[in-house]
Amino acid sequence: MTPSRVTEFRRAARERLAGYKHTTLESAPGMRAAAVVLCVVPGDDGAPCVVVIKRAYRGRNAGQWGLPGGRTEPGESPEQAALRELEEELGLVVGPADVVGRLDDFPAASGFAITPIVAVPAAVQPLRPDPREVHSAHRVPLERLAADDVPKWVDLPDGPPLLQMWLAPDMRIHAPTGAILWQFREVVLLGREAAESRVAHFRQPVWTRR
């Protein structure tokens, strides 16, 4: 049987992330821990896609683009928190064996240290967004994420440029989520070296501090 494209990606991602030395943020006063999942699933044509969500129009980050995830509860590892949130928000049941690695912790301006977990479920499951937390869920082809025209750098008069990830005409994503997607693209999809792919210094829009 010919391996599916998602299975092939799962193998390649595990190999690349095994050799990637991710950075971990030390805990500090006022810093809270969170975890998100870069969950890769098949699209309608079988091509591997990463799941991106639009948050419900209520509560924290209302209406913003994001990745499945949330706050780490006491006693949880980042992996446990990420997989719990994935099930709560999208109904995807993913086990530890489906985790293929992790990327750098990201220091969000909102005070969270966000740990990105990369998971590729072995079983195909439907996305079942919980409307209390998720307005909509989208499968973005990895081929699109790797395209040259996705990252755009916007020059600003008061400091470093601002990254925008243009995944679709109506899907423009900034840091922190945009930075995490950019690192996933650079490290996992394009095979860049770690020194070329760090994102902790990326500028974040003022509204992400909420």
Side-chain angles (χ1 to χ4, degrees):
M1 179 181 294
T2 302
S4 72
R5 283 179 280 178
V6 173
T7 300
E8 291 172 349
F9 170 79
R10 177 188 175 108
R11 184 182 306 115
R14 192 183 296 277
E15 290 176 358
R16 282 187 171 167
L17 287 168
Y20 182 73
K21 297 188 182 302
H22 63 266
T23 60
T24 302
L25 293 173
E26 297 291 335
S27 60
M31 180 179 287
R32 295 162 291 176
V36 297
V37 191
L38 293 137
C39 185
V40 175
V41 300
D44 292 337
D45 61 353
C49 301
V50 64
V51 179
V52 175
I53 65 172
K54 175 166 274 194
R55 293 272 170 207
Y57 286 90
R58 57 189 292 272
R60 179 180 289 275
N61 302 322
Q64 292 182 23
W65 293 109
L67 296 166
R71 189 185 306 236
T72 302
E73 300 294 343
E76 282 187 321
S77 68
E79 291 82 2
Q80 290 170 332
L83 299 185
R84 173 182 54 76
E85 289 282 352
L86 183 64
E87 183 174 0
E88 291 176 359
E89 294 181 350
L90 294 177
L92 292 178
V93 180
V94 177
D98 296 321
V99 174
V100 298
R102 60 185 282 184
L103 295 169
D104 292 352
D105 286 359
F106 188 86
S110 59
F112 282 94
I114 303 173
T115 300
I117 303 299
V118 182
V120 187
V124 177
Q125 305 172 57
L127 302 180
R128 299 188 299 274
D130 181 344
R132 294 170 298 179
E133 299 190 63
V134 180
H135 174 71
S136 57
H138 307 260
R139 293 176 295 177
V140 177
L142 299 188
E143 183 178 8
R144 174 58 192 159
L145 181 57
D148 292 340
D149 65 338
V150 166
K152 298 185 186 299
W153 297 93
V154 179
D155 290 325
L156 299 173
D158 61 343
L162 179 70
L163 171 68
Q164 296 179 342
M165 297 291 282
W166 286 81
L167 297 177
D170 60 348
M171 190 183 293
R172 179 180 58 178
I173 304 180
H174 302 82
T177 299
I180 293 169
L181 285 166
W182 186 88
Q183 188 175 66
F184 174 71
R185 159 199 159 96
E186 296 296 302
V187 173
V188 182
L189 304 187
L190 303 181
R192 308 284 196 219
E193 295 295 328
E196 304 171 346
S197 308
R198 302 300 185 190
V199 294
H201 61 287
F202 279 18
R203 183 168 184 161
Q204 301 170 59
V206 173
W207 44 262
T208 63
R209 296 178 183 274
R210 297 196 297 271

